Amino acid sequence: MDPAYSSHSMLSKLNPTQREAVKYLGSPLLVLAGAGSGKTGVITHKLAYLVNECSYAARNVAAITFTNKAANEMRERVSKLLPGNAAKGMTISTFHALGMNLLREEAPLLGYKKQFSIFDSADTGKIISELMGSPDKQEIRTAQSVMSNWKAAFLSPEAATSLAENEEQQRHALLYGRYQETLRAYQAVDFDDLIRLPVELFKNHPEALQRWQQRFRYLLIDEYQDTNDCQYQMMKLLAGDRAALTVVGDDDQAIYAWRGASTANLHNLQADYPNLRVIKLEQNYRSSQRILQSANHVIKNNTKLFEKNLWSEHGPGDPVRVFAAKDDENEAESVVLRMLAHKFEHRTRFADYAILYRSNHLSRVFEEQLRTHKVPYTVSGGTSFFDHAEIKDLTAYLRLIANPDDDPAFIRASTTPKRGIGNTTLEKLAAHAASRHISLFEAAFEPAIAHQLQPRQLEDLLTFCNFINRMQARAEKEPCNQVMADLLSAIDYEAWLFDSHEPRQAETKWKNVSDFVGWMNRKSEADDKTLIAMSQLIALLNLLESRDQETDAVSLSTLHAAKGLEYGHVFLVGVEEGILPHERSESPDQIEEERRLMYVGITRAQRSLQISYCSKRKRGKEHAACDPSRFIAELPQADIEFAGMVKVGDAPAVSKAEGMDKLARLKAMLK
């Protein structure tokens, strides 16, 4: 072994508690890692330590996390700690990617073909809409969430039916059964199945469980507080009796109860592993002491399983500021002006600033102010460009042209715009494809299918498939812009958009399509790539998205989407009753979850934090009075600097200091 990579030199950068967490292997371990306490460093060093010092083979070690971004960051860090090929074969992936690999290898045991398809929420939404016979978005979302929670709790459609307490639950249970049958017929799984099916596989096929337990001899789980019951079961089964396991998480940052995540998993861990060791990481490397004090103060109002207190060596730092705005316009304008003055004074970058809020709809007025002042910004937590239905329609064609075996792409492309290929055709095609273990596209050309369809149905089906074959032959050699232009005119997409949507909506959608095609053409010309190569690039578009965000721009983000990130200067806005905590939060559990969201918001800030609320807010045409959030009263009042509307009697007034401060800033900017 290269002496430069001995454990001592490798672990020398860690603090004593982090080192203890890396080296501890005596029993299952829970690392309670406070915000900004270097948990990724602990996980990556432990992975390297297991291979370097404990003679684990890299392929026998797995780290499981929640987002691709976290998995990519871990992979990069581990490859720096383990020289050469030492990290080759190590599994660092999300729960869902691990589930997918598992299912790919074991698909025949579950009656699936190896190239089964994975449907995203848009694909499943379409199926649900057809089964319900309703295009109502809200109804579809409700059904998706109900079924998702049932799957996470291992309830079969039969069990859901027998537990249904009212008519709505009965309707959903019936829908659930038909939904599962439809997925089966398409040889497809949804996001929840990627976890549920491996657990079912392990419970029903001990030989498969044994194979995977031998494969993974040590497990590390990141963001443990976000696991749902299904993920917990998967972890427990994989760990087996050996229980060589380290889980890293923070109970104070559990903000996903609405997605089925359960803080009860922290209790389960203690119950299932009585010899569990707990190590707390309380030193924070991100924020100044005053910001941490605010975070500690707020979160201590929650009932706690484990007490912890964040501290830092970064010195006291700027006081935390609470700003009371007259209304939402005033809040947005004050935040943007203050940010510009601060940037001017401290010579910082736009990327050092973030505006964080509880709900997406709050971003609009801030976006307007930022555009007015020509400030570049990015919005996360909203809809990604590549999630728009019209872009997904086009990428379905491109996916199918590149890979005719892509069944979800086949289903989407063959039915959008409609071209005579209906449910009956698809169901017969899917049944035949499943019995022959081939794709829908291949099944269309088999003689047997001709006997099952009406002549008109067969003609429409073959017209579509031959069109895809012709486009594929052209896409391999002709310039991208010609093929794209002909594709759009052949499917008559623009006319279909205007036929099936309101004119304004259709215009927006068609502009998105034009932007997308323009981007494709520019990119393919610049990189000299065919359409086929471009469609493979589109599969990596989510990576592109994160690369685009490296521009120097202010981040606008929901609190949920900001988890795990950090910014020099944070403006936490709209901190009012009914927004944070959310108006739908009534039970003590829900209020505690909202308080954790507030805690996540506070702990994103490194150097300065401003919290703001409005005295009144526009609701439709009227203004409604607002109350500051109860969480503001839970801050350490003596350390807070209050600014904005100071109420004298009933007449709101701007404090003199605030006025002088604003004047001085404007003078500074004019210099």
Side-chain angles (χ1 to χ4, degrees):
M1 191 202 333
D2 180 344
Y5 287 91
S6 73
S7 82
H8 181 71
S9 67
M10 191 173 74
L11 304 182
S12 60
K13 293 189 178 69
L14 304 180
N15 69 37
T17 336
Q18 290 173 326
R19 256 200 306 280
E20 185 188 0
V22 167
K23 294 170 88 164
Y24 183 78
L25 298 169
S27 64
L29 170 67
L30 165 62
V31 179
L32 272 182
S37 63
K39 74 180 172 70
T40 309
V42 166
I43 294 171
T44 48
H45 278 84
K46 188 151 195 166
L47 289 168
Y49 180 75
L50 289 165
V51 173
N52 257 339
E53 300 288 314
C54 312
S55 52
Y56 276 86
R59 64 187 175 75
N60 293 143
V61 178
I64 309 173
T65 182
F66 273 80
T67 62
N68 288 323
K69 188 169 176 275
N72 292 337
E73 186 188 342
M74 272 183 209
R75 243 178 254 119
E76 250 168 64
R77 289 212 210 172
V78 170
S79 63
K80 288 191 182 122
L81 292 172
L82 287 173
N85 276 341
K88 197 171 164 34
M90 186 181 282
T91 296
I92 300 179
S93 81
T94 63
F95 268 105
H96 292 92
L98 176 66
M100 183 187 73
N101 293 333
L102 249 153
L103 292 178
R104 284 249 149 90
E105 286 189 34
E106 308 289 353
L109 283 178
L110 289 162
Y112 278 91
K113 59 179 188 183
K114 280 193 189 295
Q115 72 273 35
F116 63 84
S117 303
I118 299 163
F119 279 11
D120 65 12
S121 63
D123 296 320
T124 61
K126 235 178 185 168
I127 294 172
I128 292 167
S129 169
E130 277 171 11
L131 291 174
M132 290 198 307
S134 155
D136 185 315
K137 290 248 170 41
Q138 194 47 54
E139 272 182 48
I140 294 169
R141 269 202 294 270
T142 305
Q144 278 175 317
S145 132
V146 168
M147 293 193 294
S148 174
N149 287 337
W150 278 339
K151 284 190 177 189
F154 293 106
L155 282 181
S156 65
E158 297 72 38
T161 308
S162 67
L163 289 173
E165 288 175 359
N166 55 36
E167 199 186 325
E168 190 188 21
Q169 288 176 2
Q170 266 167 342
R171 256 202 335 272
H172 280 141
L174 190 67
L175 175 72
Y176 182 23
R178 292 171 61 210
Y179 169 75
Q180 285 302 87
E181 282 161 23
T182 311
L183 283 186
R184 228 349 149 180
Y186 289 156
Q187 283 284 302
V189 300
D190 65 18
F191 212 50
D192 300 300
D193 290 332
L194 292 175
I195 311 291
R196 184 184 65 90
L197 287 171
V199 172
E200 259 175 39
L201 172 88
F202 289 157
K203 286 182 170 170
N204 300 329
H205 299 276
E207 74 285 7
L209 175 59
Q210 214 172 355
R211 264 198 298 280
W212 288 88
Q213 283 178 343
Q214 292 191 315
R215 168 93 173 271
F216 296 139
R217 296 181 158 268
Y218 202 98
L219 283 179
L220 282 119
I221 313 287
D222 181 25
E223 299 286 9
Y224 176 74
Q225 75 284 346
D226 294 341
T227 52
N228 62 27
D229 190 36
C230 224
Q231 287 155 333
Y232 182 72
Q233 301 263 3
M234 184 175 174
M235 172 196 93
K236 207 174 132 199
L237 284 161
L238 277 173
D241 295 337
R242 193 188 301 129
L245 179 70
T246 293
V247 307
V248 182
D250 180 4
D251 48 338
D252 292 332
Q253 292 187 71
I255 55 174
Y256 287 115
W258 52 281
R259 270 200 330 217
S262 164
T263 39
N265 283 342
L266 286 161
H267 293 271
N268 294 343
L269 205 57
Q270 286 186 304
D272 289 338
Y273 301 108
N275 57 344
L276 181 75
R277 173 79 194 279
V278 179
I279 294 176
K280 297 179 193 176
L281 303 181
E282 296 173 296
Q283 182 174 358
N284 168 292
Y285 291 92
R286 175 185 298 156
S287 311
S288 53
Q289 196 58 36
R290 279 191 176 117
I291 292 169
L292 293 180
Q293 224 169 322
S294 294
N296 289 334
H297 243 259
V298 167
I299 203 68
K300 72 167 194 270
N301 292 283
N302 271 5
T303 45
K304 298 294 270 264
L305 192 57
F306 303 100
E307 285 298 333
K308 68 175 180 313
N309 211 32
L310 294 182
W311 58 277
S312 116
E313 289 176 345
H314 283 322
D318 295 350
V320 171
R321 184 170 188 267
V322 171
F323 175 72
K326 190 167 86 228
D327 54 25
D328 32 0
E329 300 272 332
N330 171 241
E331 181 183 35
E333 187 184 22
S334 306
V335 163
V336 173
L337 285 176
R338 187 173 174 84
M339 180 194 293
L340 286 170
H342 189 281
K343 181 178 185 296
F344 183 81
E345 195 182 332
H346 296 275
R347 306 273 182 268
T348 45
R349 301 169 64 234
F350 285 120
D352 295 330
Y353 298 87
I355 299 172
L356 307 181
Y357 35 79
R358 172 64 177 88
S359 304
N360 266 315
H361 69 89
L362 295 170
S363 76
R364 193 187 53 78
V365 41
F366 290 93
E367 289 188 58
E368 281 172 12
Q369 280 295 332
L370 290 164
R371 284 199 296 268
T372 303
H373 291 90
K374 302 200 171 27
V375 175
Y377 66 90
T378 61
V379 184
S380 62
T383 311
S384 136
F385 179 70
F386 300 104
D387 279 341
H388 288 297
E390 58 277 16
I391 304 302
K392 292 188 109 156
D393 288 343
L394 286 195
T395 51
Y397 280 91
L398 302 177
R399 273 162 50 184
L400 190 59
I401 289 167
N403 170 20
D405 287 337
D406 187 333
D407 286 359
F410 181 94
I411 292 162
R412 185 160 193 145
S414 65
T415 53
T416 318
K418 292 251 183 289
R419 52 168 52 76
I421 300 173
N423 266 358
T424 325
T425 307
L426 282 175
E427 274 163 26
K428 286 181 176 162
L429 195 60
H432 181 69
S435 70
R436 296 267 292 109
H437 300 294
I438 56 178
S439 68
L440 298 174
F441 192 87
E442 205 178 324
F445 292 101
E446 296 228 322
I449 203 74
H451 306 309
Q452 296 180 37
L453 297 176
Q454 306 290 338
R456 181 65 204 270
Q457 289 176 318
L458 182 66
E459 191 189 335
D460 288 336
L461 179 63
L462 290 176
T463 304
F464 173 70
C465 293
N466 286 323
F467 166 67
I468 294 295
N469 274 335
R470 283 199 306 281
M471 294 312 281
Q472 185 175 30
R474 293 184 53 192
E476 280 166 346
K477 45 184 194 293
E478 292 182 30
C480 182
N481 56 1
Q482 284 174 14
V483 188
M484 281 304 287
D486 291 351
L487 174 70
L488 284 171
S489 71
I491 64 175
D492 213 2
Y493 194 74
E494 184 179 9
W496 176 78
L497 276 179
F498 280 88
D499 285 345
S500 42
H501 297 89
E502 305 279 316
R504 276 186 58 185
Q505 209 183 0
E507 269 165 39
T508 309
K509 285 174 177 292
W510 182 244
K511 184 181 181 314
N512 284 342
V513 169
S514 310
D515 289 350
F516 175 68
V517 173
W519 171 82
M520 287 265 301
N521 293 339
R522 285 194 305 279
K523 187 102 181 115
S524 71
E525 203 176 339
D527 302 353
D528 197 21
K529 280 196 162 121
T530 63
L531 188 70
I532 297 279
M534 282 301 293
S535 68
Q536 286 159 338
L537 176 69
I538 288 164
L540 302 170
L541 280 183
N542 56 351
L543 296 177
L544 262 177
E545 292 250 303
S546 56
R547 206 166 57 230
D548 286 346
Q549 283 168 12
E550 282 170 21
T551 52
D552 184 24
V554 174
S555 291
L556 266 68
S557 173
T558 61
L559 289 166
H560 283 101
K563 185 164 166 271
L565 304 176
E566 54 187 27
Y567 307 94
H569 309 281
V570 168
F571 293 88
L572 187 50
V573 301
V575 185
E576 293 147 34
E577 287 294 309
I579 294 178
L580 182 71
H582 195 277
E583 59 193 349
R584 283 201 299 271
S585 308
E586 286 150 14
S587 70
D589 279 359
Q590 289 170 319
I591 294 293
E592 293 207 344
E593 173 114 349
E594 296 292 302
R595 189 176 282 112
R596 291 193 289 269
L597 260 181
M598 176 81 175
Y599 176 82
V600 164
I602 294 172
T603 53
R604 297 312 94 202
Q606 295 166 308
R607 295 288 152 264
S608 78
L609 170 68
Q610 171 174 296
I611 296 168
S612 58
Y613 65 91
C614 300
S615 300
K616 57 178 198 261
R617 186 174 282 284
K618 215 172 186 159
R619 299 264 157 83
K621 295 246 185 326
E622 302 295 308
H623 273 91
C626 308
D627 292 316
S629 165
R630 66 194 75 186
F631 304 143
I632 289 179
E634 293 172 0
L635 292 164
Q637 303 295 304
D639 292 334
I640 302 292
E641 194 181 88
F642 288 91
M645 313 246 314
V646 179
K647 288 200 171 152
V648 183
D650 277 341
V654 172
S655 74
K656 187 171 178 190
E658 177 79 0
M660 296 303 287
D661 185 29
K662 201 164 183 177
L663 192 64
R665 281 205 310 277
L666 288 170
K667 277 184 182 161
M669 286 176 79
L670 291 171
K671 270 182 191 165

